[in-house]
Amino acid sequence: MSLVTLIGEPWGDYGLVDSGHGRKLERYGRFRFIRPEPQALWAPASADWAADGEFLPASDDEGGGRWQFAREVPRAGWPLGWEEVRFTAQTTPFRHLGFFPDMAPVWRWMRERVAGVEAAECLNLFGYTGVGTLALAAKGVRMVHVDASKKSVEAARGNAALSGLADAPVRWLVDDAAKFVAREGRRGRRYDGILLDPPKYGRGPEGEVWKLEEGLPGLIADCRRLLDDRSRFLFLTVYAVRLSALALEELLRQTLGDLGGTIEAGELTVREEARGLLLPTAIWARWWR
């Protein structure tokens, strides 16, 4: 087994400007923000971190905190873009800004996997505000977007409208991802690709409890039932858990290995603009052909 590093490069509307001493400085369009980053063990390139806002974490380990602003920032958000996809960035109570820029190489990779597949249909589980969904929909892929949060699905629909994709063939579903996948398997459904980014802990729309270490093996097994010999990919990302990418790779190998193709695992990273160093952000595993 050898780990693969996926690198998120800067683009016009996003860049990791600098990082170090447990923090990172990023640009989101015309605004700059400082956020906590435990992986940034090194010293920053510069001591001058002029920013419009900073997320100050709570003193406990629950992941809370608050934003502190040095200058006026639109609380309702502002538009950004990645290639032909448009979406709203916003300072959320969860310390991120409404999308995950380190996923950009994954969006591009998924597009390559289904390029040329006639009437391709893909599934985005835990789809959040839908940038991954729209990255594929913009290329004509039919999409099923599932998230347990009604607010997140509404934001995804808003991003579709911003992108000129309000009428694209996307099913927007507020549902528990694990229950939805199990039902799809019983229905005999199949997909050309599946993207899933499960949280460490979460609740479904009816109070269903999700714990990643307990639920992930069953979820992957149910996803396997939605893939066949014509399917092209499954991509799994995991943030903020005490798991190894090698563990994810072995889970996919045992569950999807009968499909043939390639199974890989590695880390997601973002390239810092100041020095070009790579900041790790998440682990992932994927099956593809």
Side-chain angles (χ1 to χ4, degrees), residues 154-287:
E154 289 174 349
R157 284 180 171 271
N159 287 335
L162 273 180
S163 299
L165 294 169
D167 297 325
V170 180
R171 293 174 61 202
W172 304 102
L173 302 176
V174 179
D175 205 341
D176 177 79
K179 287 185 175 180
F180 175 80
V181 169
R183 289 198 307 272
E184 289 288 86
R186 291 192 294 270
R187 294 166 180 151
R189 291 269 287 156
R190 54 87 55 190
Y191 290 91
D192 293 291
I194 300 175
L195 170 65
L196 63 160
D197 179 19
K200 178 179 179 181
Y201 177 86
R203 288 189 179 273
E206 298 180 6
E208 303 92 339
V209 176
W210 164 266
K211 295 181 180 179
L212 187 130
E213 289 89 344
E214 297 175 5
L216 186 59
L219 178 62
I220 296 298
D222 285 337
C223 285
R224 165 63 186 90
R225 298 184 180 96
L226 306 183
L227 301 170
D228 60 20
D229 58 1
R230 294 178 292 123
S231 300
R232 295 302 182 93
F233 73 85
L234 178 142
F235 199 103
L236 164 69
T237 56
V238 172
Y239 290 81
V241 295
R242 294 174 180 174
L243 290 178
S244 163
L246 296 177
L248 300 184
E249 182 178 11
E250 185 58 32
L251 174 62
L252 262 59
R253 193 175 304 282
Q254 292 191 13
T255 312
L256 279 67
D258 64 304
L259 286 168
T262 301
I263 293 175
E264 299 172 311
E267 294 196 5
L268 280 183
T269 66
V270 178
R271 191 183 304 280
E272 183 195 272
E273 293 179 321
R275 294 164 290 191
L277 62 76
L278 300 181
L279 176 68
T281 60
I283 57 175
W284 57 266
R286 65 189 179 191
W287 163 83

Side-chain angles (χ1 to χ4, degrees), residues 12-45:
D13 275 349
Y14 173 79
L16 172 63
V17 179
D18 197 0
S19 62
H21 292 164
R23 303 189 303 164
K24 58 186 174 184
L25 174 65
E26 300 165 291
R27 56 177 178 82
Y28 290 82
R30 67 184 187 277
F31 299 107
R32 291 190 172 202
F33 299 98
I34 298 169
R35 296 193 291 154
E37 182 45 76
Q39 303 253 42
L41 301 175
W42 45 81

